[in-house]
Amino acid sequence: TLLECCKRLKELGCVKVSAYVTHAVFPNRAYRKFMNGDFHKFYTTNSVPEIAKSLQGKDPFQIIKLDNDIAEGLLKSYGLDSSLSQKPAQYNIYVATTNDTKLGAIYSTYEKFLNGCGPIKKYHIRVFGVNVESEVREQPVNEETTTGCKNRLNNLHKYMNHTGREYTALISIESGVVCNMTVDDDCHYDMSVIGIQKMDCDPVFFETKDVTHFPTRFLKESLASEQNITVGSLIEKEFGYRKDKWVEHYNDKKMSRQEILAKTIDEEYLQKYSA
């Protein structure tokens, strides 16, 4: 209904059309239908948290957070000071991908580290995904993973300079395969390289320690395609797993890719460097 209304309004001469819904559910990731540029802005709240996280940083969506309103209401109901007058500082993170899993890992990790679990937030964290090139093949192998991560971060930096947007941190994540090129043993595994660069600081690169082994035949098939088909997509196709869900079926600790990335960012960066 909203899409048809937007279409008709533009036929009648409207230059920009925006929409608002309070509780966005978007079954089966239907929000993708609204990412084609028809709407100028699409406003919704974070009353459905998992959907709000999926929409975070994606045009045309703007998330109106209810946290402070709920916190003020609770404090007031107990006769406590409900002013919450201290405005959270802006913390803008731009990420060299539009992948939901990677964006979700970054947002949840920074939110937990910087704001904890209390109702009053010190930082207003915003995560934006930018689709830049890795300049390596679709399935990176060995050193290609690090190269792809560095290329993405470099291209993201160029994008930020071109657009003049302010940021607190730039992040690049490239997932790939480490293997013995004979492909005859079981030493190969899936891992990720992460690069983080704060304003006026040199970038820091590190690898995930929790890796995921998988059957050799998927690697052979990926290499046969000249690395144009990823190991993950081959596994997902054969077993019907949802995108990015195959990792938890093969990881020894049953960790998902999002959990692995979140743990790595927390332990290898946030706990070691100033956020």
Side-chain angles (χ1 to χ4, degrees), residues 62 182 267 270:
Q62 299 289 313
T182 62
E267 294 180 353
L270 295 179

Side-chain angles (χ1 to χ4, degrees), residues 51-179:
I51 296 298
K53 288 181 180 180
S54 297
L55 302 181
Q56 190 73 40
K58 294 179 179 177
D59 289 333
F61 296 102
Q62 299 289 313
I63 308 301
I64 301 170
K65 293 192 174 183
L66 303 176
D67 310 54
N68 280 0
D69 291 336
I70 295 172
E72 287 179 351
L74 288 170
L75 290 170
K76 187 175 181 180
S77 69
Y78 285 94
L80 301 173
D81 178 18
S82 61
S83 61
L84 296 177
S85 57
Q86 186 175 356
K87 187 176 181 181
Q90 291 282 358
Y91 203 103
N92 296 330
I93 304 173
Y94 282 81
V95 189
T97 183
T98 55
N99 179 277
D100 289 346
T101 299
K102 295 175 181 178
L103 294 175
I106 292 166
Y107 180 82
S108 63
T109 307
Y110 273 82
E111 178 69 23
K112 181 179 179 181
F113 183 82
L114 294 175
N115 288 325
C117 301
I120 301 176
K121 305 296 184 183
K122 297 179 181 178
Y123 295 93
H124 179 204
I125 300 170
R126 300 192 299 176
V127 178
F128 303 93
V130 181
N131 191 15
V132 295
E133 293 294 328
S134 67
E135 300 174 33
V136 297
R137 286 173 287 192
E138 190 69 17
Q139 175 58 78
V141 174
N142 294 338
E143 67 275 2
E144 287 181 323
T145 309
T146 299
T147 300
C149 181
K150 291 182 177 180
N151 288 345
R152 284 188 191 274
L153 191 61
N154 183 52
N155 288 332
L156 179 59
H157 199 273
K158 291 179 182 178
Y159 170 84
M160 300 304 295
N161 287 339
H162 176 72
T163 58
R165 298 182 181 182
E166 296 183 357
Y167 65 89
T168 310
L170 303 180
I171 300 181
S172 171
I173 300 175
E174 186 74 12
S175 298
V177 171
V178 174
C179 74

Side-chain angles (χ1 to χ4, degrees), residues 13 20 31 49 143 156 222 264:
Y20 167 81
Y31 55 80
E143 67 275 2
L156 179 59
S222 176
T264 303

Side-chain angles (χ1 to χ4, degrees), residues 1-274:
T1 301
L2 287 174
L3 288 170
E4 289 300 317
C5 287
C6 178
K7 179 180 178 182
R8 183 58 180 150
L9 286 169
K10 288 194 172 182
E11 289 174 352
L12 293 172
C14 293
V15 178
K16 294 181 180 179
V17 180
S18 295
Y20 167 81
V21 298
T22 303
H23 309 295
V25 178
F26 289 123
N28 298 319
R29 297 204 295 173
Y31 55 80
R32 292 177 294 180
K33 297 179 181 178
F34 297 87
M35 297 170 64
N36 56 9
D38 289 343
F39 282 95
H40 173 57
K41 297 291 182 182
F42 193 115
Y43 299 93
T44 186
T45 73
N46 63 342
S47 63
V48 186
E50 62 272 21
I51 296 298
K53 288 181 180 180
S54 297
L55 302 181
Q56 190 73 40
K58 294 179 179 177
D59 289 333
F61 296 102
Q62 299 289 313
I63 308 301
I64 301 170
K65 293 192 174 183
L66 303 176
D67 310 54
N68 280 0
D69 291 336
I70 295 172
E72 287 179 351
L74 288 170
L75 290 170
K76 187 175 181 180
S77 69
Y78 285 94
L80 301 173
D81 178 18
S82 61
S83 61
L84 296 177
S85 57
Q86 186 175 356
K87 187 176 181 181
Q90 291 282 358
Y91 203 103
N92 296 330
I93 304 173
Y94 282 81
V95 189
T97 183
T98 55
N99 179 277
D100 289 346
T101 299
K102 295 175 181 178
L103 294 175
I106 292 166
Y107 180 82
S108 63
T109 307
Y110 273 82
E111 178 69 23
K112 181 179 179 181
F113 183 82
L114 294 175
N115 288 325
C117 301
I120 301 176
K121 305 296 184 183
K122 297 179 181 178
Y123 295 93
H124 179 204
I125 300 170
R126 300 192 299 176
V127 178
F128 303 93
V130 181
N131 191 15
V132 295
E133 293 294 328
S134 67
E135 300 174 33
V136 297
R137 286 173 287 192
E138 190 69 17
Q139 175 58 78
V141 174
N142 294 338
E143 67 275 2
E144 287 181 323
T145 309
T146 299
T147 300
C149 181
K150 291 182 177 180
N151 288 345
R152 284 188 191 274
L153 191 61
N154 183 52
N155 288 332
L156 179 59
H157 199 273
K158 291 179 182 178
Y159 170 84
M160 300 304 295
N161 287 339
H162 176 72
T163 58
R165 298 182 181 182
E166 296 183 357
Y167 65 89
T168 310
L170 303 180
I171 300 181
S172 171
I173 300 175
E174 186 74 12
S175 298
V177 171
V178 174
C179 74
N180 182 325
M181 295 309 290
T182 62
V183 201
D184 291 329
D185 54 37
D186 293 321
C187 295
H188 49 269
Y189 53 85
D190 173 270
M191 50 78 72
S192 298
V193 177
I194 304 169
I196 300 180
Q197 181 175 11
K198 291 182 65 178
M199 181 73 78
D200 300 324
C201 294
D202 292 331
V204 177
F205 294 93
F206 45 92
E207 301 178 0
T208 53
K209 299 296 188 294
D210 295 289
V211 300
T212 303
H213 294 86
F214 52 83
T216 303
R217 59 191 177 89
F218 294 112
L219 177 58
K220 289 182 176 180
E221 190 171 343
S222 176
L223 295 176
S225 74
E226 298 183 351
Q227 295 171 237
N228 290 317
I229 304 175
T230 66
V231 167
S233 64
L234 291 169
I235 296 174
E236 290 162 358
K237 181 178 179 181
E238 179 164 329
F239 296 103
Y241 299 141
R242 288 184 296 159
K243 183 173 176 58
D244 283 331
K245 295 297 182 181
W246 71 273
V247 172
E248 57 199 78
H249 293 278
Y250 285 93
N251 182 266
D252 292 339
K253 299 179 182 178
K254 302 302 179 184
M255 297 175 67
S256 66
R257 188 182 296 282
Q258 182 164 325
E259 290 171 332
I260 291 172
L261 292 173
K263 178 184 176 185
T264 303
I265 293 170
D266 180 51
E267 294 180 353
E268 298 300 321
Y269 185 77
L270 295 179
Q271 300 291 346
K272 294 181 178 180
Y273 302 89
S274 171

